[in-house]
């Protein structure tokens, strides 16, 4: 597609439920990143994929968080047993360039609210 | 441990004047710095970057200055326009990094008044 697509755009879930967030990167982009932005905070790195592999998972806040990428394309971020502190905007980005020069292309994000 | 800090949560300037957004970092290993702009309900968009071997990079109305000794960078917007009203994030990375992971600041909300 023309840009990075994320779905759903908004998700309200009850505490303790599992949620899945989807990211469709720009076609051909090999690098994919997940970030989250909590209220009043900056963008917090979660995980990086190169192809289907995740060489850097250092930002995942707990073992309730997991992510996968298939076919070098679509990625899914799963949060199990959601907690209220998981409420945030979850952003996905992709890149096929030298990131330091050109940065990533971000999607519009999924706003997750845990009630 | 906040490695990239934007200490001003907000800034308000008059249309046509200069906007200066500041960013400080603590890790001397960072060698590339980027600025992103974010409108409400949209993802951040890349604005401009600078390598640590430079002290200035210009792109139209946007100029980024880097002071390595002070571990400080700033984004200048001249002249400011109402459409520039957005949240601005600075970010840093290691150019030699295999991951391209960016470390972001907390953001500064810029309001340009007509």
């Amino acid at each position: 597609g023309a840009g990075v697509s994320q779905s759903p755009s908004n998700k309200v879930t009850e505490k303790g439920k599992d949620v899945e967030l989807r990211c469709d990167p720009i076609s051909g982009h090999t690098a994919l990143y997940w970030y989250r932005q909590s209220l009043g905070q900056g963008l917090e790195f979660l995980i990086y994929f190169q192809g289907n592999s995740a060489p850097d998972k250092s930002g995942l806040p707990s073992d309730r968080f997991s992510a996968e990428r298939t076919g070098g394309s679509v990625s899914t971020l799963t949060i199990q047993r959601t907690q209220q502190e998981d409420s945030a905007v979850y952003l996905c980005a992709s890149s096929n360039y030298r990131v330091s020069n050109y940065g990533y292309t971000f999607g519009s994000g999924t706003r997750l609210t845990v009630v | 441990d906040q490695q990239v800090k934007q200490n001003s949560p907000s800034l308000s300037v008059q249309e046509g004047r200069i906007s200066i957004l500041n960013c400080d970092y603590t890790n001397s290993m960072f060698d590339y710095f980027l600025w992103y702009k974010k409108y409400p309900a949209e993802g951040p968009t890349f604005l401009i970057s600078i390598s640590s071997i430079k002290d200035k990079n210009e792109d139209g109305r946007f100029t980024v200055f880097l002071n390595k000794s002070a571990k400080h960078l700033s984004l200048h917007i001249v002249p400011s326009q109402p459409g520039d009203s957005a949240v601005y994030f600075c970010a840093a990375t290691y150019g030699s990094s295999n991951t391209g992971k960016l470390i972001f600041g907390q953001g500064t909300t810029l309001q340009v008044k007509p």
Side-chain angles (χ1 to χ4, degrees), chain A residues 79-100:
Chain A
I79 309 172
Q80 296 179 311
R81 305 181 303 282
T82 51
Q83 304 294 313
Q84 287 186 329
E85 62 262 28
D86 299 335
S87 296
V89 176
Y90 289 81
L91 291 156
C92 175
S94 69
S95 175
N96 209 31
Y97 306 114
R98 183 174 174 81
V99 171
S100 52

Side-chain angles (χ1 to χ4, degrees), chain A residues 33 35 42 45 100-101 103-104 107, chain B residues 32 36 43 46 49 99-102 105:
Chain A
Y33 305 81
Y35 281 78
F45 169 80
S100 52
N101 286 1
Y104 318 138
Chain B
Y32 279 90
Y36 278 79
F46 171 74
S49 66
T99 69
K101 179 168 70 179
L102 294 176

